[in-house]
Amino acid sequence: MGVLKRLRRSGWWHVGVRDPESVAEHSLRVAQLAALIAAEEGGDPARAAYLGLWHDSQETRIGDIPHSARPYVDAASNERITEDQTAVLPDNAAKSIREAVIEYEAVETIEARCAKDADRLECLMQAVEYGEAGYKRVDGWIESSRARIQTLFGRRLAEAALHTSPLAWRDR
């Protein structure tokens, strides 16, 4: 998992961000947001956070493939990659991670929906932050992420992110 600390979210290079956040930084905030969304949506915050922690772990094997590249790349499924990644782990640990990835990818539980929304919301929030830092052309990330958020609380958080400075907390 240490690789995720060094692996950068590559899509941001398209708008000139020289040192974008790492996949690990992204995953941490996804887990935090997933827990908050689940708490408000009637899900299990701990489970939603767990799904968020593992949702991009496959990128240690295939890298962060930006959405613009996905139509041109055939990659193994996240479930298959996770199977390989966990092959040498003890049975219970491997089973726990594999089940989390399967649940996240299937998006059939409230916790998976909350974690998916957290992934989208985190992207939106990062785009807002990069926009405030002076990077241009981040609107595409904001709009595409916003349009895919399904939960009521996730939508409320998105609206708040769009209308509140990321540094507003300093003024309190």
Side-chain angles (χ1 to χ4, degrees):
M1 296 310 294
V3 171
L4 294 181
K5 290 170 59 177
R6 296 184 301 276
L7 187 64
R8 298 289 162 202
R9 301 260 298 159
S10 60
W12 297 115
W13 288 325
H14 294 198
V15 295
V17 178
R18 287 185 168 274
D19 188 26
E21 85 278 13
S22 70
V23 175
E25 291 166 322
H26 163 72
S27 294
L28 171 64
R29 190 154 62 173
V30 168
Q32 292 169 325
L33 290 167
L36 293 176
I37 296 169
E40 291 296 318
E41 293 287 329
D44 177 0
R47 182 66 182 171
Y50 193 68
L51 300 181
L53 282 175
W54 293 103
H55 86 284
D56 276 344
S57 60
Q58 305 78 21
E59 292 180 14
T60 63
R61 300 288 172 93
I62 60 170
D64 178 35
I65 302 170
H67 288 282
S68 60
R70 292 188 184 198
Y72 309 103
V73 176
D74 288 328
S77 70
N78 285 341
E79 297 91 339
R80 164 101 191 288
I81 295 168
T82 302
E83 182 89 20
D84 289 345
Q85 287 176 309
T86 59
V88 298
L89 289 178
D91 290 343
N92 289 335
K95 182 177 186 259
S96 175
I97 296 166
R98 289 173 185 160
E99 287 177 352
V101 171
I102 290 167
E103 181 178 346
Y104 177 82
E105 295 298 331
V107 199
E108 293 175 350
T109 65
I110 185 65
E111 292 80 11
R113 286 190 295 278
C114 292
K116 281 279 188 185
D117 272 6
D119 184 33
R120 296 163 180 152
L121 180 60
E122 200 289 324
C123 184
L124 179 148
M125 293 169 73
Q126 189 63 66
V128 168
E129 290 169 3
Y130 285 146
E132 287 229 348
Y135 293 99
K136 307 278 189 241
R137 299 181 309 276
V138 297
D139 291 347
W141 277 270
I142 291 171
E143 291 310 315
S144 67
S145 296
R146 183 181 187 191
R148 294 174 23 223
I149 294 172
Q150 302 295 309
T151 59
L152 180 60
F153 192 63
R155 288 188 200 127
R156 285 180 50 205
L157 289 173
E159 290 307 310
L162 292 172
H163 298 100
T164 307
S165 167
L167 295 177
W169 60 271
R170 293 177 52 166
D171 299 332
R172 293 180 190 241

